[in-house]
CSV table of all heavy atoms in Angstrom, one decimal:
chain,number,residue,atom,x,y,z
A,1,LYS,N,0.8,-1.2,0.0
A,1,LYS,CA,0.0,0.0,0.0
A,1,LYS,C,0.9,1.3,0.0
A,1,LYS,O,2.1,1.2,0.3
A,1,LYS,CB,-0.9,0.0,1.2
A,1,LYS,CG,-2.0,-1.1,1.2
A,1,LYS,CD,-3.0,-0.9,2.3
A,1,LYS,CE,-4.1,-2.0,2.2
A,1,LYS,NZ,-5.1,-1.8,3.2
A,2,LYS,N,0.2,2.4,-0.3
A,2,LYS,CA,0.9,3.6,-0.3
A,2,LYS,C,1.1,4.2,1.1
A,2,LYS,O,0.3,3.8,2.0
A,2,LYS,CB,0.1,4.7,-1.2
A,2,LYS,CG,0.1,4.3,-2.6
A,2,LYS,CD,-0.9,5.2,-3.4
A,2,LYS,CE,-0.4,6.6,-3.5
A,2,LYS,NZ,-1.3,7.5,-4.3
A,3,ARG,N,2.1,5.0,1.3
A,3,ARG,CA,2.3,5.6,2.6
A,3,ARG,C,1.2,6.6,2.8
A,3,ARG,O,0.8,7.4,2.0
A,3,ARG,CB,3.7,6.3,2.6
A,3,ARG,CG,4.1,6.7,4.0
A,3,ARG,CD,5.5,7.3,4.0
A,3,ARG,NE,6.5,6.2,3.7
A,3,ARG,CZ,7.8,6.4,3.8
A,3,ARG,NH1,8.3,7.5,4.2
A,3,ARG,NH2,8.6,5.4,3.4
A,4,GLU,N,0.7,6.6,4.1
A,4,GLU,CA,-0.5,7.5,4.4
A,4,GLU,C,-0.2,8.2,5.7
A,4,GLU,O,0.5,7.7,6.6
A,4,GLU,CB,-1.8,6.7,4.5
A,4,GLU,CG,-1.8,5.6,5.7
A,4,GLU,CD,-3.1,4.9,5.8
A,4,GLU,OE1,-4.1,5.3,5.2
A,4,GLU,OE2,-3.2,4.0,6.7
A,5,LEU,N,-0.8,9.4,5.8
A,5,LEU,CA,-0.7,10.2,7.0
A,5,LEU,C,-1.6,9.6,8.1
A,5,LEU,O,-2.8,9.3,7.8
A,5,LEU,CB,-1.1,11.6,6.8
A,5,LEU,CG,-1.2,12.5,8.0
A,5,LEU,CD1,0.2,12.7,8.6
A,5,LEU,CD2,-1.8,13.9,7.6
A,6,VAL,N,-1.0,9.3,9.3
A,6,VAL,CA,-1.8,8.8,10.4
A,6,VAL,C,-2.3,9.9,11.3
A,6,VAL,O,-3.4,10.0,11.7
A,6,VAL,CB,-1.0,7.8,11.2
A,6,VAL,CG1,-1.7,7.3,12.5
A,6,VAL,CG2,-0.6,6.6,10.3
A,7,ALA,N,-1.3,10.8,11.7
A,7,ALA,CA,-1.6,11.9,12.6
A,7,ALA,C,-0.6,13.0,12.4
A,7,ALA,O,0.6,12.7,12.1
A,7,ALA,CB,-1.6,11.4,14.0
A,8,HIS,N,-1.0,14.2,12.6
A,8,HIS,CA,-0.2,15.4,12.4
A,8,HIS,C,-0.4,16.4,13.6
A,8,HIS,O,-1.5,16.5,14.1
A,8,HIS,CB,-0.7,16.0,11.1
A,8,HIS,CG,-0.4,17.5,10.9
A,8,HIS,ND1,-1.3,18.4,10.4
A,8,HIS,CD2,0.8,18.2,11.1
A,8,HIS,CE1,-0.7,19.6,10.3
A,8,HIS,NE2,0.5,19.5,10.7
A,9,ILE,N,0.6,17.0,14.0
A,9,ILE,CA,0.5,18.0,15.1
A,9,ILE,C,1.4,19.2,14.7
A,9,ILE,O,2.5,19.1,14.2
A,9,ILE,CB,1.0,17.4,16.4
A,9,ILE,CG1,0.7,18.4,17.5
A,9,ILE,CG2,2.4,17.0,16.4
A,9,ILE,CD1,0.9,17.8,18.9
A,10,THR,N,0.8,20.4,14.8
A,10,THR,CA,1.5,21.6,14.5
A,10,THR,C,2.3,22.1,15.7
A,10,THR,O,2.2,21.5,16.8
A,10,THR,CB,0.5,22.8,14.2
A,10,THR,OG1,-0.2,23.1,15.4
A,10,THR,CG2,-0.5,22.4,13.2
A,11,SER,N,3.2,23.1,15.5
A,11,SER,CA,4.0,23.6,16.6
A,11,SER,C,3.1,24.2,17.7
A,11,SER,O,3.5,24.2,18.9
A,11,SER,CB,5.0,24.6,16.1
A,11,SER,OG,4.3,25.7,15.5
A,12,GLY,N,1.9,24.6,17.4
A,12,GLY,CA,1.0,25.1,18.4
A,12,GLY,C,0.1,24.1,19.1
A,12,GLY,O,-0.7,24.4,19.9
A,13,GLY,N,0.3,22.8,18.7
A,13,GLY,CA,-0.4,21.7,19.3
A,13,GLY,C,-1.7,21.3,18.7
A,13,GLY,O,-2.4,20.4,19.2
A,14,ARG,N,-2.0,21.9,17.5
A,14,ARG,CA,-3.2,21.5,16.8
A,14,ARG,C,-3.0,20.1,16.2
A,14,ARG,O,-2.0,19.9,15.6
A,14,ARG,CB,-3.6,22.5,15.8
A,14,ARG,CG,-5.1,22.4,15.4
A,14,ARG,CD,-5.5,23.7,14.8
A,14,ARG,NE,-4.7,24.2,13.7
A,14,ARG,CZ,-4.9,25.3,13.0
A,14,ARG,NH1,-6.0,26.0,13.3
A,14,ARG,NH2,-4.1,25.6,12.0
A,15,THR,N,-4.0,19.2,16.3
A,15,THR,CA,-3.8,17.9,15.8
A,15,THR,C,-4.8,17.5,14.7
A,15,THR,O,-5.9,18.1,14.6
A,15,THR,CB,-4.0,16.9,16.9
A,15,THR,OG1,-5.3,17.0,17.5
A,15,THR,CG2,-2.9,17.1,18.0
A,16,ASN,N,-4.5,16.6,13.9
A,16,ASN,CA,-5.3,16.1,12.8
A,16,ASN,C,-5.1,14.6,12.7
A,16,ASN,O,-3.9,14.1,12.8
A,16,ASN,CB,-5.0,16.8,11.5
A,16,ASN,CG,-5.8,16.3,10.4
A,16,ASN,OD1,-7.0,16.3,10.5
A,16,ASN,ND2,-5.2,15.9,9.3
A,17,TYR,N,-6.1,13.8,12.5
A,17,TYR,CA,-6.0,12.3,12.4
A,17,TYR,C,-6.7,11.8,11.2
A,17,TYR,O,-7.7,12.3,10.7
A,17,TYR,CB,-6.6,11.7,13.7
A,17,TYR,CG,-6.0,12.0,15.0
A,17,TYR,CD1,-6.4,13.1,15.7
A,17,TYR,CD2,-4.9,11.3,15.5
A,17,TYR,CE1,-5.8,13.5,16.9
A,17,TYR,CE2,-4.3,11.6,16.7
A,17,TYR,CZ,-4.7,12.7,17.4
A,17,TYR,OH,-4.1,13.0,18.6
A,18,ALA,N,-6.1,10.7,10.7
A,18,ALA,CA,-6.8,9.9,9.7
A,18,ALA,C,-8.1,9.3,10.3
A,18,ALA,O,-8.1,9.0,11.5
A,18,ALA,CB,-5.9,8.7,9.2
A,19,ASP,N,-9.1,9.2,9.5
A,19,ASP,CA,-10.4,8.7,10.0
A,19,ASP,C,-10.3,7.4,10.6
A,19,ASP,O,-11.0,7.0,11.6
A,19,ASP,CB,-11.4,8.7,8.9
A,19,ASP,CG,-11.9,10.1,8.5
A,19,ASP,OD1,-11.7,11.0,9.3
A,19,ASP,OD2,-12.5,10.2,7.4
A,20,SER,N,-9.4,6.6,10.1
A,20,SER,CA,-9.3,5.2,10.5
A,20,SER,C,-8.7,5.0,11.9
A,20,SER,O,-8.8,4.0,12.6
A,20,SER,CB,-8.4,4.4,9.6
A,20,SER,OG,-7.1,5.0,9.5
A,21,VAL,N,-8.1,6.1,12.5
A,21,VAL,CA,-7.5,6.0,13.8
A,21,VAL,C,-8.1,7.0,14.8
A,21,VAL,O,-7.7,7.0,16.0
A,21,VAL,CB,-5.9,6.3,13.7
A,21,VAL,CG1,-5.3,5.3,12.7
A,21,VAL,CG2,-5.6,7.7,13.4
A,22,LYS,N,-9.0,7.8,14.4
A,22,LYS,CA,-9.7,8.8,15.3
A,22,LYS,C,-10.3,8.0,16.5
A,22,LYS,O,-11.0,7.0,16.3
A,22,LYS,CB,-10.7,9.6,14.6
A,22,LYS,CG,-10.2,10.7,13.7
A,22,LYS,CD,-11.3,11.5,13.0
A,22,LYS,CE,-10.7,12.6,12.2
A,22,LYS,NZ,-11.8,13.2,11.4
A,23,GLY,N,-10.0,8.6,17.7
A,23,GLY,CA,-10.6,8.0,18.9
A,23,GLY,C,-9.7,6.8,19.4
A,23,GLY,O,-10.0,6.4,20.6
A,24,ARG,N,-8.7,6.4,18.7
A,24,ARG,CA,-7.9,5.3,19.2
A,24,ARG,C,-6.4,5.7,19.3
A,24,ARG,O,-5.7,5.3,20.2
A,24,ARG,CB,-7.9,4.1,18.2
A,24,ARG,CG,-9.3,3.5,18.0
A,24,ARG,CD,-9.2,2.2,17.2
A,24,ARG,NE,-8.7,2.5,15.8
A,24,ARG,CZ,-7.6,1.9,15.3
A,24,ARG,NH1,-6.9,1.0,16.0
A,24,ARG,NH2,-7.3,2.1,14.1
A,25,PHE,N,-6.0,6.6,18.5
A,25,PHE,CA,-4.6,7.1,18.5
A,25,PHE,C,-4.5,8.5,19.0
A,25,PHE,O,-5.5,9.3,18.8
A,25,PHE,CB,-4.0,7.1,17.1
A,25,PHE,CG,-3.7,5.7,16.5
A,25,PHE,CD1,-4.2,4.5,17.1
A,25,PHE,CD2,-2.9,5.5,15.4
A,25,PHE,CE1,-4.0,3.3,16.6
A,25,PHE,CE2,-2.7,4.3,14.9
A,25,PHE,CZ,-3.2,3.2,15.5
A,26,ALA,N,-3.4,8.9,19.6
A,26,ALA,CA,-3.2,10.2,20.1
A,26,ALA,C,-1.8,10.6,19.9
A,26,ALA,O,-0.8,9.9,20.3
A,26,ALA,CB,-3.5,10.4,21.6
A,27,ILE,N,-1.6,11.8,19.2
A,27,ILE,CA,-0.3,12.3,18.9
A,27,ILE,C,0.1,13.4,19.8
A,27,ILE,O,-0.8,14.2,20.3
A,27,ILE,CB,-0.2,12.8,17.4
A,27,ILE,CG1,1.2,13.1,17.0
A,27,ILE,CG2,-1.1,14.0,17.2
A,27,ILE,CD1,1.4,13.4,15.5
A,28,SER,N,1.3,13.5,20.2
A,28,SER,CA,1.7,14.6,21.1
A,28,SER,C,3.2,14.9,20.9
A,28,SER,O,3.9,14.0,20.3
A,28,SER,CB,1.5,14.2,22.6
A,28,SER,OG,2.3,13.0,22.9
A,29,ARG,N,3.6,16.0,21.3
A,29,ARG,CA,5.0,16.4,21.2
A,29,ARG,C,5.4,17.2,22.4
A,29,ARG,O,4.5,18.0,22.9
A,29,ARG,CB,5.3,17.2,19.9
A,29,ARG,CG,4.5,18.5,19.8
A,29,ARG,CD,4.6,19.1,18.4
A,29,ARG,NE,5.8,19.7,18.1
A,29,ARG,CZ,6.1,20.3,17.0
A,29,ARG,NH1,5.2,20.4,16.0
A,29,ARG,NH2,7.3,20.8,16.7
A,30,ASP,N,6.6,17.1,22.8
A,30,ASP,CA,7.0,18.0,24.0
A,30,ASP,C,8.0,19.1,23.6
A,30,ASP,O,8.3,19.9,24.4
A,30,ASP,CB,7.6,17.1,25.1
A,30,ASP,CG,8.7,16.2,24.7
A,30,ASP,OD1,9.3,16.5,23.6
A,30,ASP,OD2,9.1,15.3,25.5
């Protein structure tokens, strides 16, 4: 399969998730 975006986080902490992982995965950065 092709590479796909799972989750993204901006420097300000805003997040975005693929529909397939919403509610199950959580991205964070320190």
Side-chain angles (χ1 to χ4, degrees):
K1 295 191 176 180
K2 294 170 67 173
R3 191 172 297 190
E4 63 175 356
L5 176 66
V6 175
H8 158 227
I9 185 167
T10 68
S11 58
R14 198 159 55 179
T15 59
N16 180 49
Y17 296 92
D19 287 343
S20 59
V21 306
K22 279 181 184 175
R24 299 189 298 121
F25 290 12
I27 189 171
S28 60
R29 61 190 287 179
D30 55 14

